[in-house]
Amino acid sequence: MKFLFVIDPIKNINPLKDSSAALMQASSKKKIEVWTCTPQDLEARGDEVWASSMRAEVCPWVSFKENKCIPLAEFNCIWMRKDPPVNEAYLYATHLLEVAERKGVKVINKPSSLRAWNEKLGALRYSHLMAPTIVASKVKDLINFAQINHDVVVKPLGGKGGQGVIRLTKDSPGIKAMIELITSQEELPVMMQKFIPEVKEGDKRIIIVNGEPIGSINRIPQGGDFRSNLAMGGKAEKTNLTAQEKKICTELSQQFKDEGLFFVGIDVINGMLSEINVTSPTGLREIETLSNKSVSDQVIEKLLEII
């Protein structure tokens, strides 16, 4: 069996922290050949897509066995784990991966769903589970929302890991100029949400695999920052799911399965859904460290059940 991981350059991956590394190592333990490439290594020749890929020995970490161009149809599964931004290059890569999908290759996550589920906007499908939210580019509408809700956070729709997320109040100096800046003079929509003060107690990342929650961590903001993302210095703590969080997972489960979203990370703050991460959800290493369980092994086992 042969898996291809479409990822950022391997030299940029920290095996002690990276969820892609955990999945690659778990695959190798199952005697699955692990190959890697970047989106720029994909190319179409007629109706066949190929990847200039490297076969990797990933236990304990990477040494490369061989490097060659392989038709994607030769792989049993392709993991699309390239980090955002979801730009033109990313979108074109998903179209190329669809060619392999049409030839029967399992692509995780489904390319069309990677395009359809923006990690901020996707959660709007379940707006009743969220804090009050607006997505807009008009300055007056965003200021009005801030005035109604008093304390808000603003998120760029293409961001990752908490980058570019800011907190404003209705009385913030220069709020109009700030919103003009982040919307590029009303050219780009942004997401604005009512600030949830309970975020100081944690922002929970829940990993959902084939519709089933298999692990979670609570991320605590540090150093006076309201952002809890691990990439922003948030501290991971062991946690269990509350009844409300289990209810959220149950409500999302079937649609994830129906739309080919096999590996998803959702974020929940104080019982309210915040984001649905589908491109390259993180947190596996921290969950494994805190739970002393090999969650990545469970992910691969669940995948092998459906290939």
Side-chain angles (χ1 to χ4, degrees):
M1 188 164 287
K2 188 183 298 185
F3 285 3
L4 175 66
F5 287 79
V6 184
I7 54 177
D8 288 299
I10 198 80
K11 62 183 175 61
N12 297 340
I13 289 181
N14 179 352
L16 300 178
K17 294 286 187 180
D18 197 277
S19 294
S20 293
L23 293 166
M24 291 163 67
Q25 289 171 331
S27 301
S28 183
K29 283 194 286 185
K30 293 289 186 184
K31 309 303 180 185
I32 297 167
E33 283 187 21
V34 173
W35 294 73
T36 72
C37 75
T38 68
Q40 290 70 35
D41 293 319
L42 301 174
E43 60 183 61
R45 304 174 188 175
D47 67 347
E48 189 87 68
V49 175
W50 298 62
S52 296
S53 49
M54 295 181 290
R55 183 181 174 189
E57 187 71 51
V58 292
C59 290
W61 190 225
V62 169
S63 60
F64 293 110
K65 295 289 188 181
E66 56 183 312
N67 187 341
K68 65 179 181 179
C69 203
I70 302 176
L72 295 190
E74 288 190 13
F75 293 100
N76 302 93
C77 179
I78 300 171
W79 285 85
M80 178 52 163
R81 293 274 307 171
K82 168 71 176 69
D83 281 344
V86 178
N87 53 19
E88 281 187 276
Y90 185 101
L91 294 174
Y92 294 148
T94 66
H95 286 290
L96 291 173
L97 292 174
E98 275 185 316
V99 177
E101 188 179 50
R102 289 194 292 270
K103 292 180 178 290
V105 180
K106 189 76 171 176
V107 181
I108 303 297
N109 285 313
K110 188 176 179 66
S112 60
S113 292
L114 288 174
R115 294 194 298 271
W117 286 72
N118 174 276
E119 299 191 332
K120 306 297 188 296
L121 298 177
L124 294 177
R125 304 174 189 226
Y126 306 95
S127 60
H128 60 287
L129 300 175
M130 302 172 69
T133 300
I134 184 175
V135 176
S137 54
K138 298 296 184 185
V139 172
K140 65 179 180 62
D141 294 334
L142 291 163
I143 289 178
N144 182 59
F145 182 88
Q147 289 174 338
I148 292 170
N149 290 282
H150 303 287
D151 195 351
V152 298
V153 294
V154 185
K155 302 177 180 180
L157 298 182
K160 65 167 185 173
Q163 293 174 357
V165 178
I166 62 172
R167 180 180 175 186
L168 298 170
T169 71
K170 65 183 182 66
D171 299 318
S172 290
I175 184 172
K176 181 174 184 292
M178 182 71 74
I179 294 175
E180 287 172 347
L181 179 64
I182 59 181
T183 61
S184 296
Q185 301 297 323
E186 301 190 331
E187 288 293 321
L188 289 175
V190 296
M191 174 176 280
M192 183 179 281
Q193 293 180 306
K194 181 179 176 64
F195 177 69
I196 306 171
E198 290 83 0
V199 71
K200 67 180 184 293
E201 298 167 7
D203 174 354
K204 198 167 291 189
R205 164 58 56 88
I206 306 169
I207 298 294
I208 299 178
V209 176
N210 201 28
E212 179 185 345
I214 67 166
S216 60
I217 50 171
N218 199 32
R219 302 169 298 179
I220 309 295
Q222 301 291 302
D225 198 336
F226 70 93
R227 296 171 297 179
S228 58
N229 309 76
L230 298 178
M232 292 295 157
K235 179 183 177 183
E237 291 186 348
K238 187 175 182 179
T239 189
N240 294 307
L241 298 187
T242 66
Q244 172 63 12
E245 289 159 353
K246 291 177 182 177
K247 180 180 177 182
I248 291 172
C249 292
T250 298
E251 184 163 346
L252 274 53
S253 171
Q254 191 58 51
Q255 188 165 18
F256 287 172
K257 293 177 71 172
D258 290 346
E259 300 205 21
L261 294 171
F262 174 83
F263 189 84
V264 180
I266 69 168
D267 298 335
V268 179
I269 305 172
N270 194 38
M272 286 179 280
L273 180 66
S274 173
E275 294 184 13
I276 298 174
N277 299 274
V278 302
T279 54
S280 56
T282 61
L284 280 182
R285 289 299 199 201
E286 291 78 11
I287 293 170
E288 291 181 335
T289 297
L290 293 168
S291 67
N292 200 30
K293 296 179 181 177
S294 185
V295 181
S296 50
D297 286 347
Q298 295 178 40
V299 175
I300 299 304
E301 288 166 5
K302 288 183 176 295
L303 177 56
L304 292 175
E305 292 173 0
I306 63 173
I307 292 180

